[in-house]
Amino acid sequence: MGIRHRRPLQETNVTNSKKTVILAQVFISLMMAFLMSGIMSMIALGPTHLWLRVWPQQFLLAWPIAFCLSLVVSRLAFALSVRLTRG
């Protein structure tokens, strides 16, 4: 029983899969909407009971918006990254 070597992601072409990209955008937008809605609402309201009631509502509003925007912004971000890293 030897050590199994995993192929790098580039070789398996997983990172280029449309399904993987969409799923990554779901997770990224979820995490960013959760964190940003929590931070921004706490800045506005302070760490109060009202903040704890408002945060979930703000998150549920922010997540679909963040996901839709990520579909557009990710293409631009990748294009800029490729352009800047070309030697």
Side-chain angles (χ1 to χ4, degrees):
M1 192 172 194
I3 297 173
R4 291 185 184 183
H5 295 283
R6 297 179 76 175
R7 282 193 248 160
L9 286 177
Q10 297 151 335
E11 289 181 26
T12 61
N13 212 13
V14 171
T15 56
N16 295 331
S17 153
K18 188 170 188 156
K19 187 177 174 181
T20 302
V21 170
I22 296 293
L23 189 57
Q25 287 176 325
V26 167
F27 289 134
I28 291 168
S29 63
L30 180 139
M31 290 182 257
M32 291 301 294
F34 180 78
L35 295 170
M36 292 300 295
S37 64
I39 291 167
M40 298 311 290
S41 60
M42 188 173 76
I43 289 170
L45 300 172
T48 63
H49 290 289
L50 176 61
W51 167 65
L52 290 175
R53 283 198 319 262
V54 169
W55 183 6
Q57 297 164 351
Q58 295 299 313
F59 166 67
L60 290 175
L61 179 65
W63 186 18
I65 294 168
F67 177 73
C68 292
L69 291 174
S70 77
L71 294 173
V72 175
V73 172
S74 65
R75 289 187 179 123
L76 176 61
F78 277 104
L80 288 170
S81 298
V82 167
R83 185 175 230 167
L84 290 172
T85 57
R86 280 190 197 158

